[in-house]
Amino acid sequence: MRTFFAVLAIVLLSIVSGRAYPHHSYTAFDMKKEMQLSGVVVEVQYTNPHAWIFMEIRNVRGNKETWAIEAGGPNILMRQGWMKNTVKVGDQIKVLIHPMRDANRKGGSLMGIVMTDGRSIGEKF
Amino acid sequence: MPALNIATPNRWLCPVRVAVVVALSLWFAACTSKEAPQPAFDKRDFTGMWFLAGQSLDASLASGVGNVTGAPGRGTSLRPARYGNYAELKGAYLQAFQDFQKLKETSGNPWTAKCTPNGMPMLMAGVYGNEVLQAPLQINWFQEYFQETRRIYLDGRPHPDPNKYPATFSGHSTGSWEGDTLVVETVNIRGDTPLDEQGRGHSEKIRIVERITRPEENRLQIQAVVEDPDAFVQPWRYTLNYNRHVGQEPVEFVCTDNNAESVDPETGLEATVIPARKNLPQPARE
């Protein structure tokens, strides 16, 4: 029954209320939790609507893990000096993220980044 | 017979003196041209790249620093409001908005992922760049977010018959000049475009009148009055300000390109998937 009402509400909203504005809400991420990662970039997807960085880290047991970090899109990044070639495969980086709520998924929403050359963008950490 | 002295008047024409006079003239001209006032900007020309004042990109471009996501920064729970106030809804539209608020609270989704255009009036409150191109009889207003282009016709044409032409996201806009103010009327907007970032809705009877001015060279202002007899208690008035950032170009935004966000239609919960790797190395041989 709850499902029925949820669907009904969404249908009604689409007819009467319109849709919410931003592209997405970040509810898949724990926006109250912060985590630092340090590792090597293995892939950069400099795309819309969001850029993604895949980085390889060593966990506490010394095993390799690949994390996927969501950043803003090029519309946001380019205007802060983060161009297509600013972060490259092989770069050693440090990131500050809000991790995904599902701890089984190695992903996060980027808050700040420190590049190989020490430059940083976003939140300081 | 006295000798005719012709040297006296011609002394002024000797090459050295001519050179000095020319040099002084050039120096004076250079000095005065520097001090001369620059030609005033055209208050009736809106062409340029404009960014909604006070939003993250406007601030980033002004300061050179910013945040690396579209999410609110550390210590902030909300994005800055785009309008100074919100429409006062009534009837079914108020109920729908309140229900939407409850749904957002129970689902934990402050917003809902989407890739469809905002349409009017939210396309004017987009936080990415606005590229305005103005011709004598038409203005094209392009917002990077969802790549929406709105056309404002200045040739005196009437609005189309809404019984014949379907309502659209951006509606139909016509404008005329009152001094340096462009007065734009927009009608025939779809009933499902959001009014604001919180998701208020409206009917297809919505009518927007914007008074657009360029009070300063790098500032554009829109004062709008929005009417909707079915959805509003009273006309909704808002002001939007934009700052011009010279040298900026539009950046492509194709929302569906590598979109990782969606909403579960049954639960209303947003899901973020990690995009597939595109350069995964071949499995290592051991």
Side-chain angles (χ1 to χ4, degrees):
Chain A
M1 201 62 178
R2 285 181 63 185
T3 303
F4 170 77
F5 276 115
V7 172
L8 181 67
I10 288 168
V11 170
L12 286 174
L13 287 167
S14 68
I15 295 169
V16 180
S17 169
R19 290 169 291 245
Y21 168 66
H23 168 246
H24 79 95
S25 68
Y26 295 89
T27 48
F29 305 97
D30 188 343
M31 301 300 277
K32 290 178 180 164
K33 197 170 171 185
E34 297 183 4
M35 182 186 283
Q36 288 185 34
L37 299 174
S38 182
V40 177
V41 176
V42 292
E43 180 168 342
V44 178
Q45 295 179 2
Y46 195 76
T47 54
N48 281 306
H50 292 271
W52 285 81
I53 297 172
F54 294 81
M55 60 188 294
E56 205 166 74
I57 67 157
R58 293 268 180 194
N59 65 19
V60 288
R61 298 194 194 101
N63 299 323
K64 281 185 181 175
E65 282 179 357
T66 302
W67 282 69
I69 314 299
E70 186 186 58
N75 304 62
I76 294 173
L77 301 181
M78 284 172 70
R79 287 166 174 142
Q80 298 168 33
W82 179 342
M83 311 307 285
K84 177 187 162 191
N85 62 356
T86 300
V87 178
K88 301 180 294 297
V89 171
D91 283 359
Q92 181 77 38
I93 59 168
K94 282 195 295 185
V95 295
L96 179 69
I97 62 168
H98 293 301
M100 284 186 152
R101 290 183 189 278
D102 179 356
N104 294 319
R105 301 168 69 207
K106 308 299 180 196
S109 174
L110 187 64
M111 301 171 64
I113 181 169
V114 180
M115 322 265 185
T116 305
D117 60 7
R119 281 184 302 152
S120 67
I121 299 179
E123 301 282 0
K124 306 297 178 201
F125 61 102
Chain B
M1 182 178 173
L4 187 63
N5 186 356
I6 58 172
T8 305
N10 280 354
R11 279 202 324 222
W12 287 101
L13 295 176
C14 79
V16 173
R17 288 188 177 171
V18 168
V20 168
V21 169
V22 168
L24 283 172
S25 301
L26 290 173
W27 174 77
F28 181 74
C31 288
T32 51
S33 68
K34 275 181 188 170
E35 290 169 2
Q38 295 294 314
F41 65 95
D42 185 352
K43 291 191 169 187
R44 291 173 57 152
D45 182 5
F46 303 154
T47 295
M49 278 293 291
W50 302 89
F51 292 77
L52 198 59
Q55 296 293 317
S56 57
L57 279 192
D58 177 44
S60 293
L61 289 166
S63 66
V65 295
N67 95 34
V68 288
T69 71
R74 186 191 263 162
T76 56
S77 57
L78 291 172
R79 300 163 200 238
R82 292 168 179 81
Y83 305 100
N85 57 61
Y86 295 102
E88 191 179 346
L89 302 178
K90 68 179 182 183
Y93 297 89
L94 175 61
Q95 187 63 51
F97 178 64
Q98 289 172 338
D99 291 347
F100 187 35
Q101 297 299 98
K102 283 179 195 159
L103 182 69
K104 286 193 287 188
E105 285 170 18
T106 53
S107 69
N109 278 3
W111 301 286
T112 306
K114 68 161 195 160
C115 268
T116 47
N118 279 319
M120 283 292 287
M122 272 300 281
L123 87 83
M124 302 300 284
V127 297
Y128 291 171
N130 296 278
E131 182 192 46
V132 182
L133 289 177
Q134 183 170 335
L137 298 179
Q138 182 171 330
I139 293 174
N140 278 17
W141 184 295
F142 170 80
Q143 159 61 225
E144 287 174 17
Y145 197 52
F146 299 123
Q147 306 210 116
E148 297 183 70
T149 301
R150 172 193 182 198
R151 292 164 183 85
I152 302 170
Y153 299 112
L154 309 177
D155 57 2
R157 75 181 68 185
H159 292 302
D161 180 352
N163 294 314
K164 293 181 179 177
Y165 291 85
T168 57
F169 283 96
S170 51
H172 190 269
S173 299
T174 57
S176 59
W177 292 98
E178 288 181 8
D180 291 334
T181 302
L182 182 65
V183 182
V184 179
E185 182 186 66
T186 303
V187 294
N188 217 22
I189 302 167
R190 287 168 58 127
D192 58 355
T193 69
L195 289 177
D196 54 53
E197 69 274 17
Q198 296 182 351
R200 287 174 182 79
H202 61 86
S203 78
E204 285 194 6
K205 291 183 185 171
I206 188 173
R207 173 177 172 270
I208 303 173
V209 175
E210 298 161 290
R211 298 179 66 83
I212 310 178
T213 54
R214 187 181 178 187
E216 298 166 26
E217 185 170 16
N218 291 325
R219 191 161 68 88
L220 206 63
Q221 185 176 76
I222 297 180
Q223 292 180 309
V225 179
V226 189
E227 295 172 351
D228 187 333
D230 284 359
F232 295 176
V233 174
Q234 58 191 355
W236 173 38
R237 297 169 190 274
Y238 62 81
T239 300
L240 295 173
N241 285 292
Y242 305 83
N243 290 326
R244 190 169 71 124
H245 290 280
V246 178
Q248 284 293 309
E249 290 181 3
V251 177
E252 188 174 85
F253 182 84
V254 179
C255 184
T256 52
D257 180 28
N258 195 24
N259 181 35
E261 272 81 23
S262 62
V263 173
D264 185 323
E266 288 202 4
T267 62
L269 292 173
E270 184 177 290
T272 296
V273 297
I274 293 173
R277 293 282 303 278
K278 295 185 169 72
N279 74 343
L280 256 186
Q282 295 299 311
R285 294 177 188 172
E286 295 185 4

